[in-house]
Structures are given as structure tokens and as C-alpha cells.
């Protein structure tokens, strides 16, 4: 009789049942090992690819985000309001889309800032206004957001060139806060607080502070630049470590990541 075989002349005991169950589990485990290893290899292959191309992926995604936000005015200019409305709807949860704080394309002016303060309820009503043939058409994200992500894209492309020539040191956090975060907090924060005070305590403030398109763009650009300067060098170091670990594990089989015998 072979190992694990239960004698048909007697009723199987508890020990016989447990041994048979253990044998079957071992056989199943041995069958699953190659399939599991194949999945691990596929995941490692994907991680290794990302470790080599993470910056190109980040720049491409940032470019798609900015390009998608600039596309609705082009679509409206071409007479495709349905496609433009879809993009406005996609970006709406990500930005307030106030026309008086957005850039306009294909019109006489790039911006139409407020000349007098308006109530928050009126602001929200104006969110749906996208422009017309006389004014041009607004972008799907505001002036500050265009500056943030546009500067992230430009800085990311510059970083892609510079990192090939030398090691780029990250900005210290104090520099990122002082030059990237604080200006935007002050510019946008004072505006928000002044409007809140104007709505709830009109006796104390007659005219709320409304920043300018230039200041929105400048502070947004500094914030976007700070993200790249402070974070990308750390990300580069992290992905380089991941790449080295996988290369050491699989040796010359990288990038195919075929398991060495």
C-alpha cells in the first residue's frame, strides 16, 4: 500500500483522516506554489517598471490634468459644448470654478476679476457660467490651480533633465513652508477670512479682500514648485532603492524578471 492509503478492510480512524487531509493539503500547496510565484513575478515586474519610469508617469499624469483643464475652452470654441460640459463636470469636485477667479481663453481678456464684492450665494450661482463668444471661455480649474499644476509639470520636466547630471538635494521643510505654503496660505487665507467676516459681521468690515490674478498665479506657482523641490528627490531615492533591491534579487534577468533556476 502506498503512503497515505487508508486500508479498506477497516474503518478509518481519526489519525488516518488527519494524515490524509494533511497529504492533500501538501499536494495542493505544491500545485499552488508555481501559480503564486508567477503572480509575485508579475507584481515585481510592474514595480520594477514603475521604479524606472515613475517620473515620466508623474509628469504625464500632471500634464493630462493640466491639459484636460485647458481643453474645455478649446472645445467650446470648436462648437462642442457637450464634451466641454463633461470636462467641466469632471473637474468641478476638484475646484470651485468661479469665473472671476479663472483664466479665460479666446476672449479680449485672460481674466475678469471682481470689481465689487459679491455674496457667497451669488458666487456659487456664477460657478455654472463658462463664458461666451464675447468674453471667451473659462478653464476648468481656477487661476491658482492652473499655476500649481502647470508649475509642477514644468518643474518635473526640468528635474527629469537635471537628475541625469547630478544628485538633486530636496528642499528642507522650512524652505517649503516659507516659500511654498506660507505665501498661498496668506493670500488665500486672508481672502477667505475677510469674506467670512464680511458675510457674518458686516458692521466690522465694509469691503472684503479680493486678491489679484497675478498673486493667485504667483503663490500657486511657488506652491507647485515647492512640491517638486521637496518631494521628488525623496521619491527618486525611494524608487532607486526599490530598483536596486529587485535587481539584486533577480540578477541579470531584469527587466524580464524571470526567476533564475
Amino acid at each position: 500500500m502506498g503512503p497515505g492509503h487508508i486500508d479498506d478492510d477497516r474503518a478509518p480512524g481519526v489519525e488516518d483522516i488527519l494524515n490524509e487531509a494533511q497529504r492533500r493539503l501538501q499536494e495542493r500547496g505544491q500545485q499552488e506554489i508555481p501559480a503564486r510565484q508567477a503572480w509575485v513575478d508579475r507584481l515585481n515586474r510592474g514595480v520594477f517598471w514603475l521604479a524606472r519610469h515613475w517620473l515620466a508617469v508623474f509628469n504625464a499624469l500632471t500634464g493630462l490634468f493640466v491639459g484636460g483643464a485647458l481643453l474645455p475652452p478649446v472645445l467650446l470654441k470648436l462648437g462642442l459644448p457637450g464634451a466641454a460640459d463633461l470636462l467641466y463636470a469632471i473637474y468641478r469636485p476638484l475646484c470651485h470654478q468661479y469665473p472671476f477667479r479663472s483664466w479665460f481663453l479666446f476672449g479680449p481678456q485672460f481674466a475678469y476679476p471682481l470689481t465689487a464684492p459679491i455674496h457667497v450665494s451669488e458666487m456659487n450661482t456664477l460657478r455654472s457660467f463658462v463664458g461666451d463668444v464675447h468674453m471667451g471661455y473659462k478653464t476648468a480649474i481656477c487661476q491658482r490651480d492652473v499655476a500649481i499644476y502647470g508649475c509642477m509639470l514644468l518643474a518635473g520636466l526640468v528635474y527629469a533633465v537635471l537628475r541625469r547630471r547630478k544628485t538633486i538635494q530636496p528642499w528642507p521643510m522650512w524652505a517649503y513652508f516659507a516659500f511654498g505654503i506660507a505665501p498661498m496660505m496668506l493670500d488665500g487665507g486672508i481672502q477667505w477670512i475677510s469674506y467670512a467676516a464680511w458675510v457674518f459681521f458686516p458692521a466690522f468690515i465694509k469691503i472684503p479682500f479680493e486678491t489679484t490674478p497675478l498673486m493667485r498665479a504667483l503663490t500657486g506657482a511657488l506652491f507647485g514648485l515647492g512640491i517638486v523641490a521637496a518631494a521628488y528627490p525623496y521619491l527618486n531615492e525611494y524608487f532607486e532603492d526599490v530598483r536596486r533591491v529587485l535587481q539584486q534579487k533577480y540578477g541579470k534577468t531584469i527587466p524580464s524578471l524571470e526567476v533564475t533556476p
Side-chain angles (χ1 to χ4, degrees):
M1 298 182 186
H5 178 75
I6 298 175
D7 190 350
D8 293 335
D9 296 336
R10 62 181 177 83
V14 174
E15 185 177 356
D16 295 323
I17 295 174
L18 291 176
N19 289 337
E20 181 66 14
Q22 182 65 27
R23 183 184 66 82
R24 294 185 180 183
L25 286 174
Q26 290 176 351
E27 289 180 352
R28 182 181 302 174
Q30 291 173 355
Q31 294 172 355
E32 291 177 352
I33 286 175
R36 189 184 307 120
Q37 186 62 48
W39 274 107
V40 171
D41 291 341
R42 291 190 188 99
L43 289 173
N44 282 333
R45 193 177 296 116
V47 171
F48 183 76
W49 183 90
L50 181 61
R52 295 182 62 191
H53 305 288
W54 71 270
L55 184 55
V57 172
F58 278 35
N59 286 338
L61 292 176
T62 306
L64 285 173
F65 186 85
V66 176
L70 300 179
L71 191 55
V74 178
L75 294 173
L76 289 172
K77 182 68 174 180
L78 295 174
L80 300 170
D85 289 343
L86 176 61
L87 282 173
Y88 282 125
I90 291 173
Y91 282 89
R92 190 166 296 123
L94 307 176
C95 182
H96 53 69
Q97 295 184 345
Y98 294 148
F100 48 88
R101 294 175 186 170
S102 299
W103 298 116
F104 277 71
L105 303 181
F106 308 111
Q109 298 177 208
F110 286 113
Y112 297 91
L114 290 175
T115 56
I118 59 176
H119 196 273
V120 175
S121 60
E122 189 176 353
M123 289 184 182
N124 292 330
T125 301
L126 288 174
R127 290 181 66 182
S128 60
F129 179 73
V130 299
D132 53 39
V133 293
H134 304 291
M135 297 178 61
Y137 306 100
K138 73 174 182 179
T139 55
I141 54 177
C142 67
Q143 295 155 351
R144 201 187 308 271
D145 284 351
V146 169
I148 290 173
Y149 296 105
C151 192
M152 283 182 63
L153 175 60
L154 293 177
L157 294 173
V158 172
Y159 179 75
V161 175
L162 294 180
R163 72 166 182 167
R164 298 177 181 177
R165 302 177 181 178
K166 61 179 181 178
T167 301
I168 308 298
Q169 297 299 324
W171 269 16
M173 289 308 299
W174 69 263
Y176 177 39
F177 181 82
F179 298 103
I181 298 177
M184 192 171 71
M185 287 180 59
L186 289 173
D187 188 54
I190 292 174
Q191 177 180 260
W192 188 90
I193 292 172
S194 69
Y195 266 91
W198 179 62
V199 171
F200 295 106
F201 307 102
F204 294 95
I205 181 169
K206 300 298 182 182
I207 300 177
F209 170 72
E210 178 75 17
T211 187
T212 65
L214 178 61
M215 285 302 299
R216 292 192 187 97
L218 177 61
T219 56
L222 289 173
F223 184 78
L225 173 63
I227 291 176
V228 174
Y232 279 28
Y234 286 117
L235 287 170
N236 189 66
E237 183 177 353
Y238 168 75
F239 282 115
E240 280 296 306
D241 288 342
V242 171
R243 185 188 61 80
R244 282 193 294 268
V245 168
L246 289 174
Q247 196 131 25
Q248 289 172 1
K249 179 177 180 180
Y250 290 95
K252 296 181 179 179
T253 58
I254 296 291
S256 63
L257 285 177
E258 297 171 357
V259 180
T260 54

